[in-house]
Amino acid sequence: MYQAAMVRRIALWRALPDLPDLHSPQEDAAYWQPHLLAEYTVLGALVDGELAGIIAYGKGWIEQLYVLPDRQGSGIGTRLLSAAMTDMDDIRLWRFQRNHHARAFYQSHGFSPIEETDGSSNEEGEPDVLYHWCRLAEPMYNADPAGR
């Protein structure tokens, strides 16, 4: 779990280098074992035998989705996100408002911002935005052109 936590740390702090570092790498890794692994589907993407991206999802939420900065733009994030979108019909996730790269990624995959906050409810105190995606119902076609 230490590697998964490190992917998150590296990706997040590359995107937002002045974000407060509230937890040690060991504390971050400790969060994964009892919480994320026990309650969510966790997938990793390996490139050349090294963990390059991770996702934790379930219960209608994406809790974590991070790809190492030097691997972004290669389709890893899209493949990980696709797994969650295949498994769930309705998804929500929080992202920091100023993480424009992540916001553009989710919006390009059909997620819409539905709420913005001032950050008072997250431990970083960072303004964030809630995104939502919902699978559209399959259209039903009537094979009878007369509508019978």
Side-chain angles (χ1 to χ4, degrees):
M1 290 296 69
Y2 185 79
Q3 286 181 325
M6 288 307 296
V7 168
R8 178 194 174 274
R9 287 179 72 83
I10 292 166
L12 183 58
W13 275 276
R14 178 76 59 88
L16 303 171
D18 58 341
L19 195 68
D21 191 4
L22 302 174
H23 303 283
S24 70
Q26 294 76 18
E27 289 171 325
D28 286 346
Y31 174 75
W32 283 78
Q33 190 70 35
H35 178 67
L36 295 177
L37 279 179
E39 299 180 31
Y40 296 92
T41 298
V42 178
L43 303 175
L46 296 176
V47 175
D48 298 328
E50 294 186 9
L51 188 63
I54 51 96
I55 187 170
Y57 67 89
K59 305 177 194 177
W61 288 89
I62 293 178
E63 287 291 320
Q64 308 281 325
L65 174 53
Y66 293 96
V67 176
L68 290 174
D70 62 337
R71 299 296 184 177
Q72 292 177 6
S74 66
I76 293 171
T78 296
R79 287 191 296 276
L80 291 170
L81 181 59
S82 293
M85 294 171 80
T86 297
D87 289 351
M88 298 187 292
D89 293 330
D90 192 22
I91 303 173
R92 289 178 178 8
L93 60 93
W94 288 101
R95 287 300 164 259
F96 295 126
Q97 287 183 27
R98 63 187 176 104
N99 191 342
H100 303 292
H101 182 73
R103 294 183 68 179
F105 171 78
Y106 288 110
Q107 289 174 0
S108 74
H109 288 85
F111 284 75
S112 299
I114 59 172
E115 179 184 348
E116 291 188 352
T117 77
D118 63 3
S120 60
S121 62
N122 65 55
E123 67 181 346
E124 294 87 356
E126 182 73 25
D128 53 8
V129 58
L130 177 62
Y131 277 91
H132 179 248
W133 172 85
C134 185
R135 181 183 322 284
L136 297 176
E138 293 291 323
M140 296 183 65
Y141 296 103
N142 188 341
D144 182 353
R148 293 178 268 164

